[in-house]
């Protein structure tokens, strides 16, 4: 009984009584949508870039916080998306952050692990929109996944262990 009363008290009609007829309410909703679309479409290039980078930041955060690792959502995927958002070529971007173009490509294609300096350069380049720590956590999650699942590396490294605890 109490739950039903609370639901009634929280209904939109009780919280924000507007006194509009259903037709007037629909017209007001359409007007608001049109106004918001106008604002959205008239954003400056800088505002659009900031919105896209914020979206990328939260996508990175979602991947980092997810329980399961998604192989296709790796560090290189997001770095490539970052470069695409900036509408730059890899060569141009590499020059902007003082990284060899080949090394940048290797990082994007998961052939090389990024270092701390790169995380910090990305933070600075994004004007602190995407913190170095977010880039690090993203890369670290991929590295952790690789360590857990890379059977070939385990097989290779087993040859380097000459005695195990069981043999002591």
């Amino acid at each position: 009984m109490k739950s039903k009363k609370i639901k009634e008290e929280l209904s939109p009609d009780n919280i924000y009584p507007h006194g509009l007829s259903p037709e007037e309410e629909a017209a007001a909703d359409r007007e608001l949508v049109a106004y918001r679309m106008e604002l959205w479409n008239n954003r400056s290039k800088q505002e659009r870039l900031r919105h896209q980078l914020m979206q990328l930041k939260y996508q990175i955060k979602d991947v980092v916080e997810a329980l399961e690792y998604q192989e296709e959502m790796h560090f290189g995927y997001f770095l490539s998306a970052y470069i695409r958002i900036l509408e730059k070529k890899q060569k141009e971007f590499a020059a902007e952050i003082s990284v060899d173009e080949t090394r940048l490509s290797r990082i994007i294609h998961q052939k090389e692990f990024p270092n701390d300096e790169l995380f910090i350069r990305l933070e600075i380049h994004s004007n602190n929109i995407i913190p170095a720590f977010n880039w690090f956590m993203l890369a670290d999650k991929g590295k952790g996944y690789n360590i857990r699942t890379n059977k070939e590396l385990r097989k290779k490294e087993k040859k380097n262990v000459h005695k195990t605890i069981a043999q002591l």
Side-chain angles (χ1 to χ4, degrees):
M1 182 76 156
K2 189 175 183 181
S3 171
K4 186 176 181 182
K5 185 173 183 172
I6 289 172
K7 284 182 183 177
E8 288 172 5
E9 289 173 358
L10 293 178
S11 87
D13 293 333
N14 288 331
I15 295 175
Y16 304 111
H18 48 65
L20 299 175
S21 70
E23 296 81 20
E24 291 171 325
E25 184 178 2
D29 288 346
R30 284 191 301 276
E31 186 178 331
L32 179 61
V33 167
Y35 175 71
R36 299 233 353 159
M37 286 302 294
E38 181 182 339
L39 286 178
W40 184 257
N41 292 331
N42 292 329
R43 293 174 298 156
S44 70
K45 186 175 181 176
Q46 197 67 23
E47 288 172 318
R48 276 196 288 282
L49 177 61
R50 181 169 171 72
H51 288 146
Q52 289 176 307
L53 291 177
M54 291 298 290
Q55 184 178 21
L56 185 67
K57 173 184 176 177
Y58 289 113
Q59 288 172 346
I60 290 171
K61 189 174 182 235
D62 288 345
V63 167
V64 167
E65 292 175 355
L67 294 177
E68 290 188 32
Y69 181 70
Q70 301 168 42
E71 285 184 71
E72 67 279 357
M73 304 296 268
H74 54 84
F75 181 88
Y77 168 84
F78 283 102
L79 181 53
S80 184
Y82 179 77
I83 296 167
R84 224 177 9 264
I85 287 168
L86 300 173
E87 298 177 358
K88 297 196 179 278
K89 302 282 185 199
Q90 279 187 25
K91 183 176 185 172
E92 180 184 4
F93 178 72
E96 287 181 5
I97 62 168
S98 301
V99 171
D100 181 74
E101 181 186 358
T102 304
R103 180 166 181 261
L104 181 65
S105 180
R106 290 183 55 75
I107 291 169
I108 288 172
H109 294 98
Q110 298 181 278
K111 305 291 183 203
E112 187 175 328
F113 193 75
N115 60 14
D116 295 350
E117 291 81 3
L118 181 63
F119 303 139
I120 291 169
R121 289 177 195 181
L122 290 170
E123 175 184 284
I124 293 166
H125 190 273
S126 75
N127 202 26
N128 302 320
I129 292 174
I130 305 176
F133 186 73
N134 291 34
W135 288 111
F136 164 75
M137 291 300 292
L138 179 64
D140 200 44
K141 186 158 187 164
K143 189 167 190 148
Y145 176 79
N146 186 50
I147 289 171
R148 283 192 312 275
T149 60
N150 192 332
K151 293 176 184 172
E152 201 173 291
L153 180 61
R154 289 182 184 286
K155 193 175 180 179
K156 177 184 164 210
E157 293 306 317
K158 189 172 186 176
K159 295 174 187 174
N160 295 317
V161 178
H162 306 292
K163 200 175 212 181
T164 67
I165 292 176
Q167 297 167 328
L168 297 177

